[in-house]
Amino acid sequence: ALGDGEKMRKGFARLLSIPMPHNSEDEQDDEDAKEVETDTTSMRRDQLREELKERQKKAVRYITMASKLIAPALDQKDWGSGFEWVIETLKHEHELIAGEIQISKALTHLRKKEFDRAIDVLKSFERMDQALKAKAA
């Protein structure tokens, strides 16, 4: 798929279609209220939560890595449009990763000495969530 923008888009879309492990603490809390908690059930839940957190971290790392790799390579003539496509694709379900990719886009602008564009990208964080603002700073 390297060099073929359409295949990279399809592969990235397939990566995003994989269900990401999510934390269903609300459902577990309801079940836990019904169940009498013992040391073994508590330890088992802790192990399961740790496993779930680890899988979430891996999924985020894979998506972030794939995003950073394909974004500048999607369109050979205009690398910015590749970043825009990746960001728009991620915004719906992975807002934090989309923010990281925007930062990566700003850094790429800085490397190419396009300072005005980098400033515009970084200013867009003023309208975003506080967690994303902290990463941009």
Side-chain angles (χ1 to χ4, degrees), residues 19-124:
M20 190 168 167
H22 64 283
N23 196 356
S24 58
E25 287 183 6
D26 296 333
E27 295 171 9
Q28 290 177 354
D29 289 341
D30 293 340
E31 291 175 12
D32 292 343
K34 295 175 187 174
E35 179 182 319
V36 175
E37 198 168 311
T38 63
D39 288 337
T40 57
T41 59
S42 172
M43 188 168 67
R44 183 177 37 173
R45 274 193 343 198
D46 289 342
Q47 290 173 344
L48 290 174
R49 282 191 181 138
E50 289 300 317
E51 177 70 23
L52 181 62
K53 286 179 185 178
E54 199 60 38
R55 287 184 183 194
Q56 287 172 337
K57 285 180 186 178
K58 279 185 180 180
V60 167
R61 189 174 71 228
Y62 291 149
I63 293 170
T64 303
M65 189 182 313
S67 300
K68 288 181 180 180
L69 286 173
I70 70 164
L74 280 175
D75 190 356
Q76 297 297 328
K77 296 177 184 173
D78 181 23
W79 59 268
S81 65
F83 273 101
E84 287 302 319
W85 182 84
V86 169
I87 291 167
E88 286 301 316
T89 305
L90 289 171
K91 273 187 180 178
H92 303 291
E93 294 182 27
H94 307 284
E95 188 176 350
L96 289 175
I97 300 172
E100 286 185 41
I101 300 306
Q102 278 187 316
I103 292 171
S104 180
K105 179 182 176 183
L107 291 173
T108 305
H109 279 300
L110 289 173
R111 280 189 215 112
K112 295 186 180 273
K113 307 226 184 292
E114 299 172 351
F115 301 114
D116 292 334
R117 289 184 180 181
I119 290 170
D120 291 339
V121 171
L122 292 173
K123 281 185 178 179
S124 70

